[in-house]
Structure formats: structure tokens, C-alpha cells
């Protein structure tokens, strides 16, 4: 299995257009302790020729141009055979609107997430320009074989496991939340017995998380915030990490403590908010992550499983 990190930042990216926090100012100023990041997304392939993109970030066209394997090879076509979504947040879906040039797409997600996107959304009709344009394929806890728009198998199964989260901001008040609004994606190459687990948004631990981590060879995990009061401490608002459905890394009950118990897996942190002190190479927080045996993902990172 080939994996490429297309983006590793939380919504807004790094730097974020309206933020002059210490981290954003430093990366804008070219401080070598920081790297700029686009919004989180992964590309995965079995053969290196046909790819599945996990989350379609608003930066997707830049991410494609930065990844030769994702660029078209002739005429009008794309190596991207399928797209799968972990939730309906705009940092994970807005890129769909940039992929609209009548290109057939296979889009996988839960019925709750697909309905939240396509129900009553005039913009998304641009992905339904002809009968074979976007095929919506429903995901749930049972593994389904992934296929491109042409029904060619991609060599993986995919399942969606409910994870504590919240409704996308634009759906709040319109309907009740459901357990399938925010999911982990489990992508498995059965032939080679390799499993990738992608959880870019998680509000807290839940029963079954340890087993999910144990069953994966490689994990990409929510690292939005280091601490619960990270925004408040920087004078950037009152919202706490936990109110925003992001489980902070630090503390006895933080996600890092749990992840470090699974350090024999390859674990990468992603969906990193621009305020997070782990963004600075050499910071005490970054050192604590590294001591825990966990890596910080960066844009363009490639690995083979
Ligand atoms: C999140 O990860 O919490 C969302 O990206 C928030 C948002 O959509 O602004
Ligand atoms: Mn987000
Ligand atoms: Zn910032």
C-alpha cells in the first residue's frame, strides 16, 4: 500500500489567512522551525496508478499538482479513482467542488454524510451534470470493496466506524446529529494484509478505539489541539478543544497517552491546528510526541506499507 499525505493541517491550513498567532507569523516569516501545511487529506493506492483520496480538502487542486502520481497522464483523465469522506466539514468536502469538470467520480461515505452534502445543496448539483457523473456509494461498519467509477476493483475494502464528533457547522439546527456524522475510515488491502486507519476528527476516546488501533498497521490521528484551552491561552477565543469535538493531545486523559500505548503501530498526527505547539520543531511539546514514539505528519510525506 502506498500512502501520500496530501495535507496535514486542520481547517484553515497553516498559516491561516486571518491568523497572526505566533506559529502563523513565524511560518509566514520563513522561520525554518516551521513548515506550511495544507488541509488534511491522504491519498492511498495499491498499484501506484489508481488512487483513493481520503477527504477532499479546499486545497485539493494544489495538492494534486504537488503529487506527480495524482496528475493526469493523457487527454482528460485522473488517477483519482475514488474519494471517501470522514465527515461533512467543509475542510473535508469543499474540494469536491473543485473536481467538477464532468469527470466521473466515485464518492464513498456514510448515508448521513452524503445526505448532509447532497440534500438541498444547489452547488453540489454541479457534480451531477450527467447520469454517470458522481456515483454515491454508501459506507457503514461492514467492509465494502472499493471500485472506481468504471466499477474496476481498487484492491481495497473500506469501512466507516462511528467516532465521537459533531455535526458540520452548516447543518447545526437543521437536523439531529447521528452516530454516522463523523467516522474513522478503515482501508484494508486483504491480499497483503495491510490496514490503514484514518481518524482526523475525534472528540474523545470511545469503546472499541484500542481494538481499532491494534488492528491497524498505520494510523493517521486527530492532532488539532495540544491542550483544551489552547485558543483561550493565545487570546483567540473562548472555545475549548473539547467543545469543538477535538480531543487534545496533552494530559493524563489526552490522546497522546493512549496513542503511546500503541507505539508499535506507525502513528502519524494530522489535522493539526495552526495554534498547536507541536508545529514548532524542537518545541517541548514536539519532543514529547517524539518520545511517545509518535510522528508528526507533514505535507508530501510518503510511505509504503
Ligand atoms: C473541525 O475540524 O472542527 C472543523 O473543520 C471546524 C470547521 O468546519 O470550521
Ligand atoms: Mn476540521
Ligand atoms: Zn495561527
Amino acid at each position: 500500500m502506498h500512502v501520500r499525505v496530501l495535507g496535514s493541517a486542520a481547517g484553515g491550513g497553516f498559516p491561516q489567512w486571518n491568523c497572526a498567532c505566533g506559529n502563523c507569523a513565524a511560518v509566514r516569516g520563513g522561520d525554518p522551525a516551521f513548515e506550511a501545511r495544507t488541509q488534511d487529506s491522504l491519498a492511498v493506492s495499491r498499484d501506484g496508478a489508481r488512487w483513493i483520496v481520503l477527504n477532499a480538502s479546499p486545497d485539493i487542486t494544489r495538492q494534486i499538482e504537488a503529487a506527480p502520481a495524482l496528475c493526469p497522464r493523457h487527454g482528460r483523465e485522473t488517477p483519482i479513482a475514488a474519494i471517501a469522506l470522514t465527515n461533512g466539514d467543509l475542510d473535508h468536502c469543499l474540494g469536491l467542488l473543485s473536481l467538477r469538470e464532468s469527470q466521473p467520480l466515485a464518492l464513498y461515505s456514510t448515508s448521513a454524510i452524503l445526505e448532509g452534502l447532497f440534500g438541498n445543496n444547489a452547488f453540489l448539483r454541479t457534480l451531477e451534470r450527467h447520469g454517470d457523473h458522481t456515483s454515491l456509494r454508501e459506507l457503514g461498519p461492514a467492509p465494502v470493496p472499493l471500485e472506481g467509477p468504471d466499477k474496476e476493483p481498487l484492491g481495497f475494502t473500506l469501512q466507516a466506524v462511528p467516532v465521537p464528533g459533531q455535526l458540520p457547522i452548516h447543518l447545526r439546527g437543521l437536523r439531529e446529529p447521528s452516530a454516522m456524522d463523523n467516522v474513522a475510515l478503515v482501508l484494508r488491502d486483504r491480499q497483503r494484509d495491510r490496514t490503514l486507519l484514518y481518524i482526523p476528527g475525534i472528540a474523545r476516546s470511545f469503546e472499541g478505539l484500542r481494538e481499532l488501533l491494534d488492528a491497524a498497521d498505520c494510523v493517521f490521528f486527530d492532532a488539532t489541539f495540544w491542550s483544551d484551552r489552547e485558543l483561550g491561552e493565545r487570546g483567540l477565543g473562548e472555545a475549548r478543544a473539547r467543545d469543538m469535538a477535538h480531543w487534545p493531545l496533552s494530559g493524563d486523559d489526552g490522546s497522546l497517552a493512549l496513542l503511546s500505548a500503541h507505539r508499535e503501530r506507525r502513528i502519524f498526527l494530522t489535522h493539526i491546528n495552526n495554534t498547536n505547539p507541536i508545529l514548532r520543531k524542537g518545541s517541548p511539546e514536539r519532543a514529547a510526541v517524539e518520545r511517545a514514539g509518535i510522528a508528526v505528519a507533514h505535507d508530501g510525506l510518503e510511505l509504503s506499507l
Side-chain angles (χ1 to χ4, degrees):
M1 177 184 315
H2 306 280
V3 183
R4 180 181 168 102
V5 176
L6 299 185
S8 53
F14 182 55
Q16 178 173 306
W17 70 279
N18 65 339
C19 192
C21 73
N23 285 352
C24 287
V27 73
R28 256 186 218 111
D31 183 333
F34 292 89
E35 300 180 51
R37 291 157 191 273
T38 59
Q39 294 164 88
D40 88 285
S41 175
L42 297 178
V44 187
S45 174
R46 214 170 83 164
D47 57 10
R50 307 183 79 212
W51 291 78
I52 298 124
V53 169
L54 308 182
N55 284 336
S57 102
D59 303 313
I60 195 160
T61 53
R62 268 207 284 161
Q63 293 169 338
I64 291 170
E65 295 306 320
L70 296 185
C71 293
R73 289 148 297 195
H74 48 78
R76 291 271 164 87
E77 63 105 36
T78 175
I80 299 173
I83 298 170
L85 306 174
T86 59
N87 65 24
D89 288 350
L90 291 183
D91 55 335
H92 294 156
C93 300
L94 214 46
L96 292 171
L97 292 170
S98 300
L99 303 182
R100 67 188 175 280
E101 325 296 343
S102 293
Q103 181 69 45
L105 299 171
L107 181 62
Y108 287 84
S109 200
T110 68
S111 57
I113 294 168
L114 293 173
E115 169 57 27
L117 269 173
F118 285 84
N120 303 313
N121 187 337
F123 273 13
L124 265 293
R125 297 181 69 225
T126 197
L127 297 180
E128 296 169 329
R129 296 180 186 199
H130 52 85
D132 299 324
H133 193 174
T134 303
S135 59
L136 302 184
R137 309 213 178 135
E138 214 171 289
L139 285 178
V144 299
L146 279 182
E147 296 174 345
D150 51 6
K151 302 278 170 67
E152 275 297 303
L154 295 168
F156 290 105
T157 60
L158 185 62
Q159 36 187 140
V161 179
V163 165
Q166 60 184 5
L167 268 176
I169 290 166
H170 54 275
L171 293 183
R172 285 183 209 158
L174 293 183
R175 70 162 167 81
E176 288 302 309
S178 107
M180 296 307 266
D181 288 326
N182 185 63
V183 294
L185 293 176
V186 181
L187 188 68
R188 187 159 150 75
D189 175 344
R190 284 192 188 214
Q191 217 171 338
R192 299 200 185 106
D193 191 25
R194 287 284 180 275
T195 300
L196 177 126
L197 172 66
Y198 182 42
I199 314 186
I202 178 170
R204 59 183 174 277
S205 191
F206 62 95
E207 196 167 334
L209 177 58
R210 287 169 195 275
E211 290 75 13
L212 271 182
L213 292 167
D214 274 334
D217 298 289
C218 177
V219 180
F220 286 85
F221 200 89
D222 182 353
T224 311
F225 297 111
W226 175 256
S227 60
D228 199 35
R229 294 194 173 266
E230 187 166 313
L231 295 178
E233 284 162 4
R234 288 161 180 73
L236 299 174
E238 287 313 309
R240 294 191 184 194
R242 289 175 204 273
D243 301 334
M244 298 168 76
H246 290 293
W247 184 14
L249 288 159
S250 64
D252 293 343
D253 57 352
S255 58
L256 194 57
L258 181 101
L259 293 173
S260 64
H262 300 266
R263 57 189 297 161
E264 70 283 4
R265 311 288 161 213
R266 298 176 79 179
I267 303 181
F268 296 88
L269 301 180
T270 190
H271 193 279
I272 308 165
N273 195 55
N274 56 80
T275 49
N276 194 324
I278 67 169
L279 288 170
R280 182 161 66 82
K281 289 176 200 141
S283 68
E285 295 85 355
R286 177 74 157 251
V289 167
E290 287 161 357
R291 266 199 316 277
I294 312 294
V296 176
H298 59 84
D299 293 21
L301 174 75
E302 290 187 347
L303 54 133
S304 290
L305 294 181

